[in-house]
Amino acid sequence: MNNKLLVLGTMAYDAIESPFGKTGKILGGCATYIGLAASQFKIDCGLVSVIGDDFETAHTDLLTQKGLDLSGVATIAGEKTFFWSGKYHNDLNIRTTLDTQLNVLTKFDPKVPEQFKDASIVLLGNLDPNIQGAVLDQMKAPKLVVMDTMNFWIESYREKLDEVVGRVDVLSINDEEARQLTDTHSLVEAAKQLQALGPRYVIIKKGEHGALLFHENKIFCAPGLPLEEVFDPTGAGDSFIGGFAGYLSQRGKITFDEMKTAVIMGSAMASFTVQKFGTECLETLTREQLHQRILAFKSLSEFELT
Ligand code: AMP
C-alpha cells in the first residue's frame, strides 16, 4: 500500500450565516476542507477539482503551501467557481442551503493525474455521483474507496448515487442523510441497509454528538468533543473525512482498529473546523494542537471498570 491519497471534491466560494455572524464570499468547498485536514499527515495528497478564473491565486497558493498537489485541478476560463451559501439555525445541527450555483461544475470533466492513478486510497468527496463514478473509473486498483455525499445529490441523482455507493468501501454520511437514503429512523438499521448496498464500512456523523462507525456486526462510537465555542459548522463533515482518510493513508493499514483511530482523528479535525468561520482554524492548525486534542478525546470517554 502506498501513502497516496486522491481526493475528488469542490473548491468553492461560500457565504455563511450563523447565529454568530455572517461572512462575505470566503474560501470553501469539500476538496478544500478535505485537503487541509489531510495535509496534517505525512502523505502524498492530490486534489481533483475544478475552478473558474475568479478563483484567487492566494487560495491555490495556500493549498500548495500545505503540500497538496493541484495538478488535477482544472480551470475553466470565463466561468465562475462553484458557489454555495448556507444558514445555520440556533441549533447548529440544523442548516438550510440558501443558494447553490454549480457554475464550473456543469462543465467538469475530471482527470486524475497519471501519478495519482495508483493511489491506495481514493476519497470521493460530496459531488455529482456521475463525476464520482468517472473518477473511480480512472483509478488502477485502490485499496480503499471512501465516499461522502449530501442531500443535494441524494434528491436529484438517486439511481446513479446507489450505483456508486455499490462500488465503495466506506460510506460517510450524516444522520439525516442516512435516514433519507434508507427511509428508516433507527441509525443501526439504516447502517445495516447501507452496508447491504455495498460499503463494508458505514460512518454516520451526528454533528456535535459525534460519529458512529459500523463494520460487520461491530460498532464504534466516537464522542463529540464538548466545545465552549462553536462558530461555524461548515466543512465539519469534510474535515472529518479528510482527517480519517489522511490518517489511514499515513498508517498504510486498513483494519477495523485503525479505522477507529481514524474516526477519532476525523472528529478532532472537525472539532477545530467549527471553532472559527470557514477554513481559518484548519489553515493554522499545528500537529501539536492536533495531538493534544486527540488526548482530550481519549480522556473524554476512558474509564475503568472495577
Ligand atoms: P460540510 O459542512 O462538511 O457538509 O461541507 C460544506 C462544504 O461543502 C462547503 O464549503 C460547500 O462549498 C460545499 N458544498 C455545499 N453544497 C455542495 C454540493 N451540492 N456539492 C458539493 N459541495 C458542496
Side-chain angles (χ1 to χ4, degrees), residues 93 173-176 179 187 203-212 221-222 224 240:
N93 285 318
I173 48 172
N174 72 29
D175 42 6
E176 194 191 332
R179 291 187 173 116
L187 293 180
I203 298 173
I204 300 185
K205 300 165 285 182
K206 300 188 297 158
E208 65 179 324
H209 306 298
L212 298 168
C221 176
F240 171 91

Side-chain angles (χ1 to χ4, degrees), residues 9-14 16 26-33 82-85 88 95 97 99-100 102 105 125-128 148-153 174 177 205 233-240:
T10 45
M11 287 165 69
Y13 285 120
D14 291 347
I16 296 151
I26 58 169
L27 176 64
C30 58
T32 306
Y33 282 102
F82 174 77
F83 173 77
W84 175 80
S85 166
Y88 294 89
R95 163 167 95 184
T97 290
D99 196 7
T100 300
L102 296 177
L105 271 196
N126 168 32
L127 210 59
D128 177 341
D148 192 7
T149 191
M150 73 183 268
N151 48 8
F152 185 86
W153 305 112
N174 72 29
E177 290 150 2
K205 300 165 285 182
T234 308
D238 303 319
S239 33
F240 171 91

Side-chain angles (χ1 to χ4, degrees), residues 127-158:
L127 210 59
D128 177 341
N130 290 290
I131 297 177
Q132 293 177 315
V135 163
L136 207 44
D137 289 342
Q138 294 171 52
M139 301 306 296
K140 282 182 183 149
K143 299 265 181 292
L144 193 78
V145 181
V146 184
M147 175 187 181
D148 192 7
T149 191
M150 73 183 268
N151 48 8
F152 185 86
W153 305 112
I154 297 174
E155 280 151 22
S156 330
Y157 295 81
R158 187 57 203 266

Side-chain angles (χ1 to χ4, degrees), residues 24 34 48 55 78 80 83 107 109 113 126 162 173 175 184 188-189 195 205 212 226 281:
I34 293 171
V48 170
F55 200 82
K80 281 190 170 168
F83 173 77
K107 296 190 175 159
D109 179 18
N126 168 32
D162 284 355
I173 48 172
D175 42 6
T184 318
V188 176
E189 177 55 30
Q195 279 173 283
K205 300 165 285 182
L212 298 168
C281 209

